[in-house]
Amino acid sequence: MKINKKLMAIMMTLAIGGALVGCSVGDKPAVSPDQEVTTPEVTPEEEGTPEGGEVESALKADITTMTEGLELPMMNAMMEDMFKDTYGIDTNLLKDYYVDMPMMMVHSTEIAIFELNDEADADKIMEGIEKRQQFLADQWQTYLPDQYELVQNYKTAVKGDKILFVVSEYADKIVENFNAMN
């Protein structure tokens, strides 16, 4: 019985050691500190669509302006594919849109701004916002009560051809900043 335990311990040691050695061998050559690493320069014409369908939008600057000085969680742009699934808004109704969502899924904060082609389509955009808010409410209902409360207290604002959707502890301030923008 003692031989089996020793044999098992040796086999485990070899397996762990093999895994560590296997993980340490890489395909990339090591770079010494005195070597210079260069990256190819990319011109705007070569960039094209960002990897993963990230949305490029002039409205990102509006969100940055509206949230300046506020302590928000780390945010990331919602990918185009995810936008279609979560909001269900026909992008043909929009001139532009931008959605900021948290990088870590322990925050319910979300800020979305939509620029419409035709203000008459505002009801359709609001339906998409309500769909998204209901999804967020269902998601946070049993997870984190403080985040669920933020989702329940979401704000929307309409100004001309733009619609804002905010889930944040600073929602009132963000809406105020939105309404003060040109």
Side-chain angles (χ1 to χ4, degrees), residues 127-144:
E127 286 175 18
I129 289 172
E130 289 169 12
K131 173 187 175 191
R132 177 63 175 161
Q133 190 279 333
Q134 185 58 53
F135 173 82
L136 290 171
D138 293 345
Q139 176 182 349
W140 292 101
Q141 187 171 352
T142 57
Y143 187 42
L144 295 172

Side-chain angles (χ1 to χ4, degrees), residues 134-163:
Q134 185 58 53
F135 173 82
L136 290 171
D138 293 345
Q139 176 182 349
W140 292 101
Q141 187 171 352
T142 57
Y143 187 42
L144 295 172
D146 61 326
Q147 298 302 307
Y148 177 63
E149 185 177 341
L150 292 178
V151 171
Q152 291 299 100
N153 297 319
Y154 75 99
K155 302 284 185 215
T156 60
V158 179
K159 185 177 176 187
D161 65 346
K162 291 183 180 176
I163 298 177

Side-chain angles (χ1 to χ4, degrees), residues 82-132:
M82 185 176 181
F83 174 78
K84 290 175 184 175
D85 291 341
T86 57
Y87 280 87
I89 296 173
D90 180 0
T91 55
N92 292 321
L93 300 175
L94 304 171
K95 281 183 196 171
D96 199 2
Y97 71 92
Y98 188 79
V99 181
D100 242 351
M101 59 185 291
M103 291 177 113
M104 295 179 5
M105 295 310 297
V106 293
H107 299 285
S108 63
T109 302
E110 186 163 310
I111 305 168
I113 187 167
F114 308 93
E115 187 174 10
L116 288 65
N117 285 322
D118 184 352
E119 291 179 31
D121 293 325
D123 288 342
K124 294 175 184 172
I125 305 309
M126 293 303 285
E127 286 175 18
I129 289 172
E130 289 169 12
K131 173 187 175 191
R132 177 63 175 161

Side-chain angles (χ1 to χ4, degrees), residues 10 14 56-57 63 75 90 118 124 128 140 145 158 181-182:
I10 291 171
L14 289 174
E56 291 292 321
S57 171
I63 290 179
M75 304 290 276
D90 180 0
D118 184 352
K124 294 175 184 172
W140 292 101
V158 179
M181 292 177 65
N182 296 333

Side-chain angles (χ1 to χ4, degrees), residues 37-52:
V37 176
T38 58
T39 56
E41 194 172 311
V42 178
T43 62
E45 296 83 33
E46 294 173 336
E47 286 180 7
T49 304
E51 193 172 315

